[in-house]
């Protein structure tokens, strides 16, 4: 059973427009949510995170919104650039006495055309 | 230096071979992780080391054996693997074990092929 879901496998956007990537989760115990970007043959690169007690976090062109009641978060990229084309993973962090770990969604492939 | 390095980049091994994957970070991070990623799938957690002690083992088969010789190094020893173990193996680290260190920094991965 997937605890973190990215239901859109791909998204195509024109340069300069907004990209919105969505993520849903099922476990109320997650305390942080993170977005990672991954290019082929590279490891995931951290983009932005949000605490479960916040509803918005912004960093430059990237904004993450959290709707805790809907168990839904989204990543907005404005304006989108061709270099943003990559696979975007949503990840949720859980913390227990053994330590912390991330659970990843399946990813959304973003293509930004010029 | 926010870099996690992994060697080798590519590894091809037979089912009877013994090999090791290496991961290194010099950011002073106290938590290190091994993930496995198959094609078109998300990274899946294998092991977590917190302050050089194994804290999470996600029911990984014993043919995968992790080792944390010190706070900067993480190894994954491989023995008698199966072809279905072919995947990208990712190492990550985060600043603190336990509750701190939200962000995990990933290495580039080792692409493993088991023949």
């Amino acid at each position: 059973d997937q605890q973190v879901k990215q239901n859109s496998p791909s998204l195509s956007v024109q340069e300069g427009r907004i990209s919105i990537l969505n993520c849903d989760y099922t476990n109320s115990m997650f305390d942080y949510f993170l977005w990672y970007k991954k290019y082929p043959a590279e490891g995931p690169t951290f983009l932005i995170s949000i605490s479960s007690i916040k509803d918005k976090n912004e960093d430059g062109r990237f904004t993450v919104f959290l709707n805790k009641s809907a168990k839904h978060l989204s990543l907005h990229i404005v304006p989108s650039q061709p270099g943003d084309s990559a696979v975007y993973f949503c990840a949720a962090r859980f913390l227990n006495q053994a330590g912390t770990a991330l659970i990843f969604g399946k990813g959304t492939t973003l293509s930004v055309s010029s | 230096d926010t870099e996690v390095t992994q060697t080798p980049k590519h590894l091809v091994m037979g089912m009877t071979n013994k090999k090791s994957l290496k991961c290194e970070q010099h950011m002073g991070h106290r938590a290190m992780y091994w993930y496995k990623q198959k094609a078109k799938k998300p990274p899946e957690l294998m092991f977590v080391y917190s302050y050089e002690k194994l804290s999470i083992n996600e029911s990984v088969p014993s043919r995968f054996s992790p080792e944390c010789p010190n706070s900067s190094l993480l190894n994954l020893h491989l023995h008698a693997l199966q072809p279905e173990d072919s995947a990208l193996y990712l190492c990550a680290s985060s600043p603190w074990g336990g509750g701190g260190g939200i962000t995990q920094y990933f290495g580039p991965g080792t692409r493993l092929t088991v023949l």
Side-chain angles (χ1 to χ4, degrees):
Chain A
D1 181 31
Q2 274 187 276
Q3 296 189 63
V4 179
K5 299 177 186 178
Q6 293 177 258
N7 292 319
S8 298
S10 62
L11 174 68
S12 294
V13 171
Q14 279 194 316
E15 182 178 9
R17 307 292 289 266
I18 183 171
S19 295
I20 301 177
L21 297 110
N22 294 304
C23 179
D24 297 294
Y25 63 95
T26 56
N27 190 337
S28 301
M29 300 304 292
F30 293 136
D31 66 344
Y32 273 90
F33 301 92
L34 300 86
W35 284 94
Y36 282 83
K37 174 179 176 180
K38 187 177 186 300
Y39 294 115
E42 293 184 12
T45 302
F46 170 73
L47 273 178
I48 191 168
S49 66
I50 187 166
S51 163
S52 60
I53 62 171
K54 304 271 189 185
D55 55 19
K56 178 182 174 181
N57 188 26
E58 190 172 354
D59 183 3
R61 296 187 297 117
F62 302 93
T63 303
V64 57
F65 296 92
L66 176 63
N67 182 332
K68 205 170 174 183
S69 61
K71 293 190 172 70
H72 176 84
L73 63 152
S74 60
L75 174 69
H76 293 212
I77 306 174
V78 182
S80 302
Q81 298 173 354
D84 295 329
S85 298
V87 179
Y88 287 78
F89 288 101
C90 170
R93 189 183 91 142
F94 70 84
L95 168 64
N96 59 28
Q97 58 189 12
T100 66
L102 296 179
I103 297 178
F104 286 83
K106 287 188 173 182
T108 297
T109 300
L110 173 65
S111 300
V112 180
S113 57
S114 54
Chain B
D1 180 11
T2 56
E3 193 178 22
V4 177
T5 59
Q6 289 186 245
T7 55
K9 280 192 172 180
H10 301 276
L11 179 61
V12 179
M13 60 186 290
M15 289 190 284
T16 58
N17 292 156
K18 283 186 183 181
K19 297 285 185 184
S20 296
L21 308 185
K22 294 184 186 300
C23 174
E24 194 166 359
Q25 57 87 13
H26 295 287
M27 296 178 278
H29 290 177
R30 302 311 300 272
M32 296 185 76
Y33 311 79
W34 280 114
Y35 288 85
K36 174 182 177 179
Q37 186 177 21
K38 303 277 276 184
K40 300 191 186 301
K41 298 277 188 176
E44 292 181 1
L45 182 67
M46 299 175 73
F47 302 104
V48 180
Y49 272 83
S50 179
Y51 296 96
E52 294 109 71
K53 293 193 189 313
L54 184 64
S55 62
I56 294 178
N57 176 342
E58 289 291 308
S59 303
V60 179
S62 60
R63 57 187 186 266
F64 295 91
S65 175
E67 179 196 17
C68 190
N70 60 56
S71 59
S72 300
L73 293 173
L74 185 66
N75 298 321
L76 186 62
H77 302 298
L78 315 172
H79 175 53
L81 294 194
Q82 304 296 312
E84 59 263 29
D85 296 322
S86 299
L88 181 69
Y89 287 84
L90 292 162
C91 174
S93 68
S94 64
W96 302 283
I102 297 108
T103 305
Q104 291 184 18
Y105 296 88
F106 283 83
T110 293
R111 174 71 59 190
L112 174 67
T113 303
V114 182
L115 301 176

